[in-house]
Each structure stands twice: as C-alpha cells, then as structure tokens.
Amino acid sequence: MYTMVVTRSDLAYAVGVVSRYISNLGWKHWEAVKHIFRYLRGTEDAQLTFGLANLTEVEGYTNVDYVGNSDNRKSTSGYIFTYNGGAISWRSKLQECMTLSTIEAKYIAASKAAKEAIWLHQLTADFSTTSQIDRPTLTIYCDSQRTIHLINIHVYHAKTKHIEVWYHHIRELVIEKKLEVRKIDIEVNIIVCLTKSLPNQRFRAPR
C-alpha cells in the first residue's frame, strides 16, 4: 500500500482511508481494497508526465475535508506540488488535532503545505541557474478566501489564540515574502482528490 501512495497520487486518499481499519478489517473494507485494485488494473497505463506546462517554479495546492472522519471527527488535509506541469510531492493525512471550524482546518492544512513548499523551493534552487534572491515568491493555492485573509492579517486574536503556535509559521513566511497564498476556485483545485471521495466523472477529469 505504501508503494501505491508514493507513486500514485490519485490513490493517496483511498489508500489512507482503508489503512485506518487495517488492524480490524471487515468485509466492507475488503470490498473497498478490491475496488482500489480494480481501479489500478484499469489505469495501469497512467503515469506522471512533465513538460506539459511552461513552468519552472514549484506551485502548491492545498485543501481539507472538514471533519470527514466519522469515527473521530478529525479532518483530512492534503497538499500537492507541481513542477514543470507534473506532480512531484503530495500528501493526504488526517490532522493530528480537532478543529473548530473549516477555516481553522484549512489554515492548519496550509501551514503543513508551507513546510513542504520551503523544502521543495530550496531543493529546486540547487538545479536552477537563478540565484535565490532573484527567484520569484513561492505560490500556494487555497480555495478559501477567509483562510487566506487569516494568513495575511498577521494579528493574533481570540479566534486564533487556541491554535498551536507552530502552525503560525506560515504567517512569518508570508511576511518575509518567501511565500504567497492565492485564491483558486474549488472546481479547478487539483488537490480535492486527495482529501475526499469524488464522483467518477470529476475524479477522472483532466487537469
């Protein structure tokens, strides 16, 4: 299962869900696993492709499925980063803490993505002929304007003081102009397949 997750981004969410019940697997869970295998059989020619877009910088996308886990009411957050038109890093995982609102859940998801973004930015700099100073600000796309506003206001108030302090590092990155968070429409946000189950037509839609 781990090999599937690190080589097939389209399976990250499904594998993550069934893995939660691996210690107490029931018949419905086994049916879900067989469904994953059938999907693999039908998409064995699928592959990661680069060079479809004239982009030489890393771009990130983040999203969250708020309280999507019916067992513990935690949210599933995810991110995916692309380079030169192809996915190079992705993750779909339950958040460690309980969140009290969609904004808070998306804020935490964006903060997690920001850490990965900085590492990828530094990694790609080693292969670039452009100096670190001249390189453009790294961009992460989020479909929540209110979350973007929370990131950009740089003020700690009553609605955010309960959020663990290490999640606020994304604000420092924005202040230092190392990171920019932009709005993207949910319908074109490629990350949604890593945070929730989708109808077949939308799941297979080209991006």
Side-chain angles (χ1 to χ4, degrees):
M1 287 292 189
Y2 177 76
T3 303
M4 293 183 191
V5 174
V6 299
T7 58
R8 292 287 298 266
S9 58
D10 51 342
L11 289 175
Y13 176 74
V15 172
V17 171
V18 297
S19 296
R20 298 169 194 165
Y21 307 98
I22 198 167
S23 62
N24 187 25
L25 194 66
W27 182 253
K28 289 185 177 180
H29 306 125
W30 175 236
E31 287 293 326
V33 171
K34 290 196 294 184
H35 184 76
I36 293 174
F37 287 142
R38 286 195 297 270
Y39 173 76
L40 276 172
R41 182 69 178 271
T43 59
E44 57 185 359
D45 294 332
Q47 57 188 331
L48 292 174
T49 305
F50 298 90
L52 297 180
N54 188 23
L55 296 173
T56 57
E57 291 298 327
V58 173
E59 286 190 338
Y61 302 81
T62 180
N63 197 9
V64 69
D65 179 22
Y66 181 57
V67 295
N69 189 318
S70 58
D71 295 325
N72 56 23
R73 308 307 292 168
K74 289 185 177 180
S75 304
T76 300
S77 61
Y79 61 71
I80 188 167
F81 288 90
T82 62
Y83 183 81
N84 199 20
I88 58 173
S89 177
W90 56 82
R91 190 179 192 187
S92 176
K93 187 179 180 181
L94 274 180
Q95 294 182 350
E96 293 88 350
C97 59
M98 300 283 290
T99 53
L100 304 180
S101 66
T102 305
I103 297 176
E104 182 182 342
K106 295 196 175 210
Y107 182 80
I108 292 174
S111 181
K112 291 285 188 180
K115 292 194 294 185
E116 182 75 1
I118 294 302
W119 179 79
L120 288 172
H121 196 57
Q122 294 170 345
L123 178 65
T124 55
D126 295 336
F127 306 101
S128 176
T129 57
T130 306
S131 67
Q132 286 276 21
I133 298 177
D134 297 331
R135 300 193 74 192
T137 303
L138 197 148
T139 302
I140 292 180
Y141 292 96
C142 174
D143 55 49
S144 171
Q145 189 64 57
R146 296 177 67 186
T147 301
I148 295 173
H149 179 68
L150 181 62
I151 293 170
N152 289 326
I153 58 175
H154 314 310
V155 175
Y156 297 91
H157 51 69
K159 292 183 179 180
T160 61
K161 65 181 182 181
H162 67 283
I163 301 176
E164 295 290 354
V165 70
W166 57 75
Y167 292 122
H168 293 303
H169 76 100
I170 188 172
R171 290 180 170 179
E172 301 301 320
L173 295 174
V174 172
I175 291 173
E176 296 170 2
K177 298 189 183 302
K178 294 181 179 179
L179 183 71
E180 180 182 6
V181 184
R182 295 182 182 177
K183 177 73 169 63
I184 189 173
D185 193 283
I186 184 63
E187 296 299 323
V188 295
N189 194 351
I190 62 175
I191 186 62
V192 289
C193 66
L194 269 71
T195 57
K196 54 183 70 72
S197 57
L198 298 174
N200 183 60
Q201 183 177 4
R202 187 177 178 192
F203 183 77
R204 295 176 179 268
R207 299 292 180 183

